[in-house]
Amino acid sequence: MTPRATTGEPQRAQWLLDPAKADEFTKVMKVLRNIRLRDGAIQWGLYHDLSQPGRFIETTLVESWAEHKRQFVRVTNADKAIEEQARAFHIGEQPPKVSQMIYANYTDSKGFQQPC
């Protein structure tokens, strides 16, 4: 089994908020977690940065890039309302910073893509 088959495609979102609202934020994110898992995520996590109390990192792992793209099709109006509740906690002029990653590959001497 190649590493790609076991790791999936991770996404990260950085949320910045007033630390005094962290408890309320995490309650909304728990609901958002269920939406992400229902829509195809195989793992979900929310991490609190202890060195920066108002910073949270949401991580989502999906099986493939194609699965990630399908998640956008599955969003309902009720899901959008929950996402807006979460975004209401985010401070700053820009929306939460999102990083979408794919597994790194290299081309071997025969011209085939291989996982790192």
Side-chain angles (χ1 to χ4, degrees), residues 4-95:
R4 183 179 177 96
T6 60
T7 58
E9 309 297 340
Q11 289 88 46
R12 287 179 16 154
Q14 175 180 266
W15 298 85
L16 302 174
L17 55 126
D18 177 350
K21 296 182 179 180
D23 283 343
E24 295 172 65
F25 175 71
T26 56
K27 288 175 186 172
V28 172
M29 293 304 285
K30 185 176 179 181
V31 177
L32 195 54
R33 170 194 182 272
N34 294 334
I35 293 168
R36 304 271 199 246
L37 292 172
R38 180 203 69 206
D39 288 349
I42 54 178
Q43 285 182 344
W44 182 92
L46 184 65
Y47 299 88
H48 191 185
D49 185 344
L50 297 178
S51 66
Q52 190 177 347
R55 181 174 180 251
F56 287 79
I57 302 295
E58 176 190 10
T59 62
T60 308
L61 186 67
V62 294
E63 191 172 311
S64 66
W65 185 251
E67 181 64 29
H68 170 66
K69 291 301 204 183
R70 283 191 289 271
Q71 288 179 312
F72 294 103
V73 176
R74 298 179 183 127
V75 175
T76 68
N77 287 333
D79 298 345
K80 288 178 187 177
I82 297 298
E83 288 180 5
E84 287 303 316
Q85 285 180 21
R87 284 196 179 137
F89 287 97
H90 183 72
I91 57 176
E93 296 177 13
Q94 300 296 321

